[in-house]
Amino acid sequence: MAHPFRFGVQYSKPIEGTTWQETARRTEELGYSTLFVPDHFGDQLAPITALSVAAEATSTLNVGALVFDNDYRHPVTLATEMATLDLLSSGRVELGLGAGWMRTDYEQSGIAYDEPKVRVDRFEEGLAVIEGMFGDGPFDFSGEHYTITGLDGLPKPHTPGGPKLLIGGGGKRVLSIAARTADIVGVNPNLRSGEINADTALDAMASAVDRKLEWVREAAGDRFDDIELNQLSFAATLTDDTASFADFLAQLFGAPAEEVLEAPTVVAGSLPEVVDRLHARRERWGFSYYVFQADAGEVMAPLVAELAGR
């Protein structure tokens, strides 16, 4: 059974001319399910504080980071913060987690940028620690990177077992971890290089996504149908001049325009075209949860009105 469509917006700062609280309320008014904040060290609001304020300013809007970098916070600390936010917001947290990828964050902050295997090993242990924190009673954990002894994670979140877990990835190992553990799986380009480049764009093409969904299905097994599949859209617009927009993107992606339009990270065309395209993608891949960048939030509102919940 297909999951109903829902939509989110990712902001680094308030919409120009508004306060952060007004931005959150506007996002809720437009029918979006979730407000996300990235977790980097650039020109953006700090995520935990921003999410807390956004949750307080709204009544139905979910909040989350897309995604928290496991290396920036000890998992005990992050679990405590997220359990508190979930409790105080009556269960409106989506917990996005990742192993970390942006090389410049690490270099500028002085945090060790370990090889991908080590970061993913540490991330997998961090997931286990967070699960223990959300569980009933004290727990122990002994790994290469974290050791927990008799700790009862308090407070407990509003959502039994913890908030919905969102893990996004572009490589086989992270997508397999996500498929085994997450409620929401984001299928992304591979960011192993630590930066966004031409290879990143090509790894978002439909043929690459076909391969990634095979990994997710294989690792998920019987739980695949319960997983909500997510796409973070880096190019989204409603336009009656689809060809011109596709030609523009083709230069950025270094791929033919028709292939770029087929990439699930691209959501572009007239409203009827986009509605048909998203239905086709849900049929082909299962994608039902799209997150747009801040500048597309207002533009894509008619699509949200048309498809959310359907």
Side-chain angles (χ1 to χ4, degrees):
M1 177 179 289
H3 290 266
F5 287 108
R6 67 185 182 113
F7 301 89
V9 186
Q10 178 173 245
Y11 300 97
S12 295
K13 57 183 69 174
I15 297 170
E16 186 174 355
T18 73
T19 66
W20 181 242
Q21 292 90 331
E22 290 168 342
T23 293
R25 286 192 286 267
R26 180 59 177 162
T27 303
E28 184 177 55
E29 289 168 2
L30 291 173
Y32 285 97
S33 173
T34 312
L35 179 152
F36 287 104
V37 178
D39 187 24
H40 296 297
F41 298 144
D43 185 12
Q44 68 155 92
L45 298 175
I48 294 176
T49 304
L51 297 177
S52 301
V53 172
E56 177 64 19
T58 56
S59 59
T60 62
L61 189 69
N62 293 339
V63 297
L66 201 62
V67 294
F68 284 115
D69 184 327
N70 179 68
D71 287 339
Y72 299 166
R73 300 164 194 83
H74 194 285
V76 166
T77 302
L78 182 60
T80 302
E81 294 282 359
M82 291 300 101
T84 299
L85 183 54
D86 193 63
L87 182 65
L88 298 182
S89 68
S90 299
R92 290 190 285 130
V93 171
E94 293 181 17
L95 179 53
L97 293 171
W101 67 273
M102 187 178 285
R103 182 186 300 273
T104 55
D105 274 354
Y106 288 82
E107 292 174 345
Q108 293 172 355
S109 66
I111 297 173
Y113 189 66
D114 294 319
E115 64 176 337
K117 180 185 182 305
V118 174
R119 280 183 278 126
V120 176
D121 286 347
R122 187 160 49 233
F123 163 66
E124 195 164 19
E125 288 190 16
L127 285 174
V129 172
I130 289 172
E131 180 181 0
M133 290 287 290
F134 292 157
D136 295 328
F139 77 104
D140 298 325
F141 179 84
S142 180
E144 183 177 352
H145 302 281
Y146 303 111
T147 300
I148 311 297
T149 306
L151 179 60
D152 189 0
L154 296 171
K156 297 302 180 187
H158 174 88
T159 308
K164 280 189 175 182
L165 177 62
L166 188 164
I167 299 175
K172 184 175 183 179
R173 185 178 174 199
V174 172
L175 282 172
S176 297
I177 293 169
R180 292 191 297 268
T181 61
D183 303 289
I184 307 163
V185 174
V187 180
N188 304 328
N190 196 319
L191 294 169
R192 182 184 180 91
S193 66
E195 61 183 5
I196 295 175
N197 53 33
D199 289 339
T200 308
L202 292 176
D203 201 47
M205 296 293 102
S207 58
V209 174
D210 285 336
R211 181 176 66 254
K212 294 170 194 284
L213 259 295
E214 289 177 6
W215 297 337
V216 174
R217 284 183 179 276
E218 180 181 359
D222 292 342
R223 71 186 302 269
F224 179 79
D225 288 342
D226 295 327
I227 294 172
E228 191 174 25
L229 292 172
N230 166 267
Q231 270 290 307
L232 175 59
S233 178
F234 291 99
T237 192
L238 295 178
T239 176
D240 290 326
D241 189 3
T242 308
S244 294
F245 188 74
D247 288 340
F248 166 72
L249 291 180
Q251 298 177 42
L252 299 179
F253 277 74
E258 60 273 15
E259 292 185 22
V260 171
L261 281 178
E262 192 180 3
T265 191
V266 175
V267 182
S270 67
L271 181 58
E273 285 176 332
V274 171
V275 168
D276 288 346
R277 192 167 286 128
L278 263 57
H279 276 292
R281 290 174 182 174
R282 186 169 65 177
E283 179 69 22
R284 175 176 177 177
W285 291 303
F287 293 122
S288 61
Y289 188 7
Y290 287 82
V291 179
F292 303 126
Q293 302 298 324
D295 58 357
E298 290 278 349
V299 173
M300 303 306 291
L303 176 67
V304 176
E306 180 73 17
L307 283 186
R310 295 178 174 84

